Amino acid sequence: MSETMGGLISLLRREWIYLWYYFTVQLEQIAPYWALGMVLGSLISVFGKARIHSLFQGLNRKKLGALGVIPASLLGIASPLCMYGTIPIAASFSQKGMKDDLLAAFMMSSILLNPQLIIYSGALGERALVIRCVSCFLCGAAAGLMVRFFFRD
């Protein structure tokens, strides 16, 4: 019985070493991109937040109809916010009278893609970056259109 237990402990130890090794290798490879993403997100948040905010409020004043989800989705992609930062901002926009379809497009794109994720995707190659940006834009626009057409009240 103790021989079986010793084999199990040895197996678990080997697996732990492999997991730890691969974790540290991945951490070393992604750390520069992670740091760059934090710096870029912080710069956009500090210097571009007011501009994004004013552009988004300007969308509400324009009569773009269903096409308004396109710039709203693009602004969501440009937003440096993650899910936990996007929801309070969207709530404040909603209180100021922002249309729900524009909010949905902004929120979906902002949650799916921020500057740090753009950098991570770029690290995987140009094709991955393009696919990620296009799919996030399309998901944001689709969310806005669904809210517009299915929740008209």
Side-chain angles (χ1 to χ4, degrees):
M1 186 70 170
S2 97
E3 188 175 306
T4 305
M5 188 61 101
L8 179 62
I9 290 174
S10 176
L11 175 71
L12 290 174
R13 184 175 175 274
R14 275 195 319 268
E15 291 303 317
W16 173 250
I17 290 170
Y18 289 135
L19 286 173
W20 182 253
Y21 171 75
Y22 288 121
F23 173 77
T24 57
V25 167
Q26 288 180 349
L27 184 63
E28 288 172 6
Q29 290 174 348
I30 203 73
Y33 300 106
W34 177 65
L36 183 60
M38 283 194 313
V39 168
L40 182 60
S42 296
L43 287 173
I44 292 172
S45 183
V46 170
F47 297 112
K49 187 167 131 183
R51 179 77 173 139
I52 291 171
H53 195 277
S54 68
L55 286 171
F56 196 59
Q57 285 183 327
L59 280 176
N60 199 38
R61 290 187 289 271
K62 294 180 181 178
K63 303 288 184 198
L64 297 175
L67 293 176
V69 300
I70 293 171
S73 185
L74 291 172
L75 282 173
I77 288 172
S79 167
L81 303 171
C82 65
M83 178 174 60
Y84 301 111
T86 300
I87 292 173
I89 295 291
S92 73
F93 282 145
S94 181
Q95 288 175 346
K96 292 178 183 177
M98 185 66 63
K99 296 173 188 160
D100 289 340
D101 57 343
L102 301 180
L103 280 172
F106 175 82
M107 284 178 56
M108 182 61 73
S109 294
S110 182
I111 289 170
L112 291 175
L113 191 63
N114 58 42
Q116 195 163 20
L117 292 174
I118 290 173
I119 291 171
Y120 288 160
S121 300
L124 296 173
E126 185 177 321
R127 184 177 293 169
L129 176 63
V130 170
I131 289 170
R132 183 166 205 137
C133 289
V134 169
S135 64
C136 290
F137 167 75
L138 292 174
C139 286
L145 290 172
M146 284 188 208
V147 167
R148 181 176 185 83
F149 293 119
F150 294 124
F151 298 99
R152 291 185 179 222
D153 56 356

